[in-house]
Amino acid sequence: MDAVETCSGGSSEAAPVGILISNWKLVGTGALTAGVLAFAATFLIPPVFTAKTVILPPQQQQGGAAAALASLGALAGLAGGGSGPKNQIDQYVALFQSANVSDRIIKEFDLIKVYDVQDILEARKLLGENARIYAGKKDGLINIEIDDEVPARSASMANAYVGAFRALNASLAISEAQQRRAFFEEQLANSKKSLTAAQVALQGSGFNASALKAEPQAEAENFARLRAEITSSELRLQSLRQSMLDSAPEVQTLKAQLAHLRREQVEMGTNSRPTETADYISRFREFKYQETLFQLLAQQFEMAKVDESRDGALVQVVDAALPPTKKSKPKRGMIAIMTTFAAGIAMCALVLLRERA
C-alpha cells in the first residue's frame, strides 16, 4: 500500500515535466517565433552610435607662487590659499555635467530641433540620458560617452564637451593657482587706481627734487613697507574671521602681529592714513606705500599666472572621439535571445495552466 502511494506521489511530481515534454513543439515554436519577431522589430529602431572622449583633468600641484607667498609673511594670507576639494576629480565630473556646459552643447548642435522638443529643459534632460560622464576608478581619467543616431555628430558632441568645459573653467576659480590669480588680479586693479590717485596728489603738493632731499629714501621705503604689512595683515585678518572664531590660534597670532606693527608705526611718528591737508612729505610717503604694494601685487599676479598655466587649467585630451563605425544600440542578438528565453518561460507557464484547467 505504501509502495503504491510512493509511486503515485513520484508520478505526480514528474507530471509537469511530462506535460512540457509532450508539448515541446508548442513551447519551442512559440519561443522561437517570439525571438524572430523581436529580432525583426529591432530593425524598426533607429541605430544608435556611441563616441568616446578621454581627457586628463586639471592637475593640482604646489607652484612657485605658493612658496613665494610663504616668504612674504603677512602678505601670504591675502590669497586665501588652501587645499582644494577632497575629491577634485568628482568636482570636475560634476562641472562637465552642469547645466552651463549642457546648455552650451545644446545651443552649439541645436539639440532642441534634433531631439524635437519644445524647450531647453527637455533637451537638457534628453542630453543627460544620452551622455555618460564618469571618472576611471584606477587611472583618474574622465570619460565622456555620447549616444546619437548620427556617428559624426556623436563624435563632435563628445569633443565639444572639452571646449564647453574650458569656457566654463575660464570664468571660475577652481584650483589654488586660479584662486590666487583671480585674487591678485582684482587686488592689482584696485592698487593701480590707488597708486594713480597717490601720484596725482603728490604732483599737486608741489613735490620737487629739493623736497626729496628732505625725505630720505630709506625712511620712505621703511614707511611704505610698514604700511603694506599693516594693510595686508588687516585684509588677512578679515579673511580669517569669515571662517574662524576670534579665539582660533591663527586669529590670535595674526592679531598680535598686527598690534606689533601698529606700535612700530606709532613709534615712527606716522599716521596710517594721511589727511587731505597733509604736506608733500605725507603725500610722498603715501605714494611710496602705494608703489611698493603695487609692485608686490604685480609680482604675485605674474607668478600666479605662471602657476595657473602649470596647474593645467585647460583639460588635456588623451583620446579624441572619432565617428564610430559600428552601432552600439540596439543589440539585436541580445534582444532576440532574451525575448526567446522569456517567451519560452511564458509558454511553459501557459501549457501547465492549460493542462491543469
Side-chain angles (χ1 to χ4, degrees), residues 179-229:
Q179 291 173 355
R180 290 198 304 271
R181 189 267 306 160
F183 174 83
F184 282 115
E185 184 175 18
E186 180 181 359
Q187 294 299 319
L188 189 62
N190 295 335
S191 179
K192 185 176 182 180
K193 294 178 181 178
S194 299
L195 177 59
T196 302
Q199 183 176 2
V200 172
L202 179 61
Q203 293 173 345
S205 67
F207 175 75
N208 51 42
S210 60
L212 180 59
K213 296 179 181 179
E215 179 67 13
Q217 182 177 359
E219 182 180 351
E221 291 177 350
N222 288 335
F223 175 80
R225 176 192 56 79
L226 184 61
R227 285 281 313 278
E229 289 187 4

Side-chain angles (χ1 to χ4, degrees), residues 271-319:
N271 294 318
S272 60
R273 297 183 185 277
T275 62
E276 294 182 358
T277 59
D279 57 10
Y280 71 90
I281 295 179
S282 295
R283 295 186 183 185
F284 177 70
R285 289 173 172 173
E286 174 68 14
F287 170 75
K288 292 298 295 182
Y289 155 69
Q290 295 294 347
E291 184 182 49
T292 302
L293 188 59
F294 179 81
Q295 291 173 352
L296 287 173
L297 293 175
Q299 180 184 10
Q300 297 309 308
F301 175 63
E302 291 302 323
M303 285 194 291
K305 288 198 300 182
V306 173
D307 279 353
E308 183 181 18
S309 63
R310 187 186 301 119
D311 210 24
L314 298 182
V315 296
Q316 304 174 64
V317 178
V318 178
D319 294 318

Side-chain angles (χ1 to χ4, degrees), residues 42-49 148-151 326-330 332:
T42 58
F43 287 92
L44 301 177
I45 303 175
V48 175
F49 300 86
D148 198 87
E149 296 177 6
V150 181
K326 296 182 179 180
K327 63 178 180 59
S328 57
K329 300 177 185 178
R332 296 191 174 96

Side-chain angles (χ1 to χ4, degrees), residues 22-193:
S22 62
N23 292 274
W24 69 270
K25 290 185 179 181
L26 176 62
V27 173
T29 303
L32 289 175
T33 301
V36 171
L37 291 176
F39 182 79
T42 58
F43 287 92
L44 301 177
I45 303 175
V48 175
F49 300 86
T50 302
K52 181 179 180 179
T53 295
V54 181
I55 65 172
L56 177 67
Q59 302 297 297
Q60 293 281 16
Q61 61 183 1
Q62 183 77 3
L69 279 175
S71 67
L72 287 175
L75 191 60
L78 281 171
S83 58
K86 186 176 181 180
N87 194 332
Q88 194 76 17
I89 296 180
D90 287 345
Q91 185 184 56
Y92 286 119
V93 170
L95 289 174
F96 271 104
Q97 297 172 334
S98 66
N100 189 302
V101 172
S102 297
D103 291 349
R104 293 176 187 271
I105 301 297
I106 291 172
K107 293 178 181 179
E108 180 176 351
F109 294 91
D110 196 14
L111 294 186
I112 294 180
K113 183 178 180 180
V114 171
Y115 292 155
D116 192 21
V117 293
Q118 299 298 321
D119 53 41
I120 197 170
L121 295 178
E122 295 181 31
R124 191 186 297 166
K125 180 180 179 181
L126 290 177
L127 178 60
E129 296 174 355
N130 292 325
R132 291 177 299 281
I133 304 174
Y134 59 93
K137 295 181 179 180
K138 295 182 179 180
D139 54 26
L141 300 178
I142 296 179
N143 302 269
I144 303 174
E145 297 180 353
I146 303 295
D147 294 337
D148 198 87
E149 296 177 6
V150 181
R153 187 167 59 207
S154 66
S156 297
M157 289 173 61
N159 292 326
Y161 265 89
V162 178
F165 174 81
R166 286 172 175 168
L168 173 62
N169 196 30
S171 63
L172 299 176
I174 301 173
S175 69
E176 180 184 350
Q178 286 177 289
Q179 291 173 355
R180 290 198 304 271
R181 189 267 306 160
F183 174 83
F184 282 115
E185 184 175 18
E186 180 181 359
Q187 294 299 319
L188 189 62
N190 295 335
S191 179
K192 185 176 182 180
K193 294 178 181 178

